[in-house]
Amino acid sequence: MAASAGNPQGPIVVIAGGVGAARFLEGAVAAFSPAGIVAIVNVGDDLELAGLHISPDLDTVTYTLAEQVNPETGWGVRDDSFAALERLRALGGSDWFTLGDTDLGTHLYRTERLAAGAPLSVVTGEIAAASGIGCTILPVSDGRLRTIVQTDDGELPFQEYFVRRRQTDTVRGLRFDGAESVEPAPGVHEAITQARAVVIAPSNPFLSIGPVLAVPGLRDCLLTTQAPVVAVSPIIAGAAVKGPAAGIMRSLGHDVSALGVARLYADLIDVFVIDQQDAALAGAIERDTGVGCLATQTLMHGLDEKRALALQTVQAARTAGENRDG
Ligand code: FO1
């Protein structure tokens, strides 16, 4: 747990998965100077398909901040066309992963640059800059890290579980392939160490934040940074805002509630942000985990709500850090 209030000149660091984190980041970029924000993004969802390197969470964050994301899905590009996918289908190729034509351009660029020897963090920065994004987007690692989902049908690569089999398998466990040997990407350690505040975004704690925390040194970095660390609950009133988080918590034996999430993060965080619908849980969370809570509106509809959540979350972190300093 952090030891003091953090560096007031340092960045706001957001540990991010896909859609929920991207929406939180939209608010952060609106509330604070984008140049002072660093997103550290999950790469456990990455996949190789038809020879292309696809990084769904990096792309979701990038497209969202570039105001290019498909608002209906929260991933992919708005108003994209699917001529390439239709051709692939007509040829009898594999079409279970929906790649739009504009999105494909991103994967072609990334794959070519990686093949030429550029690290993923550099390529991600290039794509962000070309998309007009003012904040820093970093993959948690340049190394190969892949989430493997353990089910009754055996081990499944993440996107097989998530997209191809539509999250219908009961999750018995998770494994982060490559985690033992990867390193944090350049800038990750520095950003957390020098942060003003670190936010664990309202992302799936197992599928999105789990792979980030599995990178060697990341947990220690969060435990030793001077910056206050805050998490935003992705579980509201016993249900996930989006995706399979509730079912996974249940099948892995955790309480499907903000309290269950708080227990997962208790050793890392100084304060926990829960939804106002869960305000009655604040006392139990504080007694059970020793972590203080802020109950507020965490469901983000428009930009005003996203900005308000970002402001309140960072303020809660700063206050927790100052109280800790005494
Ligand atoms: N999610 C789906 O449910 N179906 C898809 O066909 C799909 C394609 C896809 C293509 C590019 C991309 O960046 C994301 C895509 N996603 C799709 C979303 C993605 O699988 C998940 O949202 C994340 O991996 C979980 O954070």
Side-chain angles (χ1 to χ4, degrees):
M1 201 177 285
S4 69
N7 170 11
Q9 315 302 329
I12 294 165
V13 172
V14 180
I15 312 253
V19 178
R23 290 165 65 78
F24 182 87
L25 278 159
E26 266 186 291
V29 163
F32 302 98
S33 162
I37 295 170
V38 178
I40 297 176
V41 182
N42 172 38
V43 293
D45 296 16
D46 286 19
L47 70 161
E48 285 81 28
L49 204 61
L52 298 176
H53 183 119
I54 304 169
S55 296
D57 283 355
L58 284 170
D59 289 343
T60 295
V61 167
T62 302
Y63 293 149
T64 302
L65 295 180
E67 298 179 31
Q68 288 174 345
V69 82
N70 178 342
E72 273 139 45
T73 54
W75 48 265
V77 175
R78 177 196 295 270
D79 298 328
D80 212 348
S81 55
F82 295 91
L85 193 72
E86 278 156 26
R87 178 68 178 149
L88 192 60
R89 194 170 290 145
L91 294 171
S94 177
D95 65 352
W96 59 272
F97 202 70
T98 309
L99 294 176
D101 297 332
T102 305
D103 192 24
L104 267 171
T106 303
H107 312 315
L108 288 167
Y109 179 79
R110 176 186 295 116
T111 305
E112 186 181 36
R113 292 285 294 128
L114 291 174
L120 183 60
S121 51
V122 169
V123 183
T124 301
E126 291 169 357
I127 294 170
S131 306
I133 292 170
C135 72
T136 301
I137 303 175
L138 290 174
V140 63
S141 177
D142 283 332
R144 192 180 189 289
L145 173 68
R146 295 289 182 274
T147 300
I148 306 291
V149 183
Q150 296 166 325
T151 74
D152 295 335
D153 261 3
E155 293 202 323
L156 302 173
F158 178 82
Q159 298 293 352
E160 290 269 337
Y161 157 78
F162 197 90
V163 173
R164 196 172 203 169
R165 296 166 66 113
R166 298 165 199 269
Q167 308 137 48
T168 49
D169 298 273
T170 301
V171 175
R172 300 294 178 196
L174 293 161
R175 191 166 68 71
F176 304 113
D177 197 35
E180 340 60 63
S181 46
V182 300
E183 290 176 6
V188 165
H189 192 278
E190 295 77 353
I192 295 173
T193 305
Q194 292 163 16
R196 177 170 12 151
V198 179
V199 180
I200 301 177
S203 297
N204 186 312
F206 292 99
L207 299 182
S208 301
I209 305 301
V212 173
L213 297 180
V215 171
L218 244 290
R219 264 188 175 276
D220 277 352
C221 197
L222 287 172
L223 287 166
T224 55
T225 179
Q226 299 288 294
V229 181
V230 55
V232 182
S233 178
I235 299 284
I236 300 178
V241 177
K242 192 175 192 314
I248 294 176
M249 289 188 77
R250 191 172 301 113
S251 68
L252 295 181
H254 298 274
D255 198 21
V256 186
S257 67
L259 171 59
V261 179
R263 284 179 180 144
L264 295 172
Y265 292 142
D267 61 331
L268 296 176
I269 59 176
D270 297 289
V271 59
F272 191 47
V273 177
I274 60 175
D275 193 77
Q276 57 200 6
Q277 294 177 55
D278 289 321
L281 283 178
I285 291 172
E286 289 174 16
R287 278 192 303 279
D288 189 287
T289 66
V291 175
C293 283
L294 169 73
T296 186
Q297 173 155 353
T298 64
L299 269 177
M300 298 169 275
H301 299 293
L303 186 59
D304 284 349
E305 288 172 5
K306 292 172 190 163
R307 187 193 293 117
L309 179 61
L311 276 169
Q312 290 180 73
T313 300
V314 171
Q315 187 51 52
R318 299 284 301 157
T319 305
E322 281 157 17
N323 291 342
R324 178 164 290 279
D325 274 351

